[in-house]
Amino acid sequence: MTISLESAAAGRVVDHGDKAAQLQSSWRVVASAAGERLVLEWEGRESAVLSLAARADTRLGATSLPASCGLAAESKNGLLLDTRDLQGEEGARARLHLEYRERNARETDADVKNGLHSRNIGAEWVERQELIEHFLARMPKGTSEAFDPTLFQAWLNEQDPQTRIAYAVSAGDGGDATELSGLTLAAAQRYAMGVQYAARQMLQVVVRETWRVPPEIDAKCNIVLKSGIPEEHRPEFKVKNLDGKFAWMRSRDAMRPTGTGFYDRTVAVCQMKRTP
């Protein structure tokens, strides 16, 4: 964040109320692990402070500094008014405290204008269950141990109990039964023990947002995103080994009110290998 002084008004603000109602202003930049924050404060007669606080450019979500502050701030992705505190006593003095932070690349002008207050994207590994035949079907092909989905389905539909118990499939013309082997046999044995699913670790991208105005969410979950993760939800950090062999599926899109006039939204998408 780069701060520059535009005019001598940075020490005095005189365009609120009558000319005698001057406001003492100050500014500072606070650095932390989360980034730099620009802090602006005005203090003076209550009527003048309230007049300043009523302006659109001092409300939460503002993306530009008040013109009367006499400062200019440059940031790669722009600024956002993140915290606002107004204090005072009736008929006396008041103080307006504003804190601006730098936006990230996913906090776009359009979304901020529509009520987005913050958007943070992370990634974590989660366990999901899938049918064991889908799990085994992705094992290397071309070997005697490869999973045979057609033979496995025939075993599931086998009508002769003795043949089924023997992990085999009857021949339609009365010939010898075909015995299951390799991964096909392993899948059948697990089915016989009541194990129909396999656990699989998936990388899940989690988007956490805070909105002043509730956004529209998508009620369709557990669907493959054909075009991949939307750009506004795509991580800015790099993830190794996520190439064209993977597809993305939205697992949830939920929102809840916070009780303070804000709304928390969580969007999660999981990566998975494309089924053969």
Side-chain angles (χ1 to χ4, degrees):
M1 184 187 301
T2 303
I3 305 296
S4 60
L5 188 65
E6 287 192 326
S7 70
R12 280 289 194 190
V13 178
V14 297
D15 62 345
H16 303 287
D18 57 75
K19 292 185 178 180
Q22 293 182 335
L23 299 179
Q24 183 65 45
S25 66
S26 64
W27 66 272
R28 65 183 183 274
V29 175
V30 180
S32 69
E36 292 185 327
R37 298 175 73 88
L38 172 62
V39 181
L40 300 181
E41 289 186 340
W42 288 268
E43 186 173 359
R45 184 181 297 180
E46 180 191 49
S47 59
V49 173
L50 292 179
S51 175
L52 176 62
R55 290 171 38 163
D57 57 5
T58 61
R59 298 293 182 88
L60 284 180
T63 56
S64 61
L65 301 181
S68 57
C69 75
L71 295 175
E74 296 182 6
S75 173
K76 179 181 178 181
N77 298 307
L79 297 178
L80 179 74
L81 178 50
D82 184 59
T83 302
R84 180 178 188 267
D85 182 36
L86 178 62
Q87 297 181 14
E89 298 179 6
E90 185 175 357
R93 298 177 65 82
R95 181 176 69 90
L96 178 63
H97 176 97
L98 306 179
E99 292 189 18
Y100 295 82
R101 65 169 177 82
E102 295 184 275
R103 285 189 277 160
N104 61 53
R106 299 296 178 253
E107 295 167 339
T108 62
D109 289 340
D111 287 337
V112 169
K113 184 178 180 180
N114 289 329
L116 176 69
H117 189 72
S118 67
R119 173 178 284 147
N120 295 291
I121 303 174
E124 60 189 21
W125 288 97
V126 296
E127 182 178 287
R128 294 180 67 88
Q129 301 290 322
E130 64 177 328
L131 290 172
I132 197 168
E133 58 262 39
H134 290 171
F135 177 81
L136 294 175
R138 289 196 301 272
M139 295 297 180
K141 292 180 172 57
T143 68
S144 59
E145 297 297 312
F147 177 75
D148 187 338
T150 302
L151 184 60
F152 180 73
Q153 188 61 44
W155 177 78
L156 290 177
N157 297 329
E158 175 60 49
Q159 298 299 311
D160 180 22
Q162 295 303 319
T163 303
R164 182 180 171 87
I165 291 174
Y167 299 110
V169 175
S170 301
D173 56 2
D176 295 335
T178 302
E179 295 183 352
L180 277 60
S181 62
L183 293 179
T184 311
L185 174 61
Q189 290 173 332
R190 283 162 175 76
Y191 251 73
M193 293 186 292
V195 180
Q196 299 183 11
Y197 295 89
R200 179 159 183 265
Q201 297 294 323
M202 290 185 177
L203 183 68
Q204 181 172 266
V205 171
V206 182
V207 183
R208 292 186 172 88
E209 303 172 347
T210 303
W211 293 75
R212 299 183 307 280
V213 180
E216 180 181 7
I217 65 174
D218 198 323
K220 292 183 179 180
C221 294
N222 292 326
I223 60 172
V224 175
L225 303 175
K226 294 182 179 180
S227 58
I229 305 176
E231 183 61 29
E232 66 271 18
H233 291 162
R234 188 177 298 276
E236 294 182 74
F237 51 85
K238 296 184 181 299
V239 182
K240 291 183 178 180
N241 304 320
L242 288 184
D243 52 23
K245 298 179 181 179
F246 292 86
W248 290 94
M249 177 182 68
R250 184 173 56 245
S251 61
R252 68 180 183 275
D253 189 350
M255 184 174 61
R256 67 179 182 86
T258 65
T260 57
F262 285 82
Y263 298 83
D264 287 338
R265 182 190 187 192
T266 301
V267 181
V269 288
C270 293
Q271 63 85 10
M272 58 184 180
K273 284 188 176 179
R274 299 184 187 277
T275 54

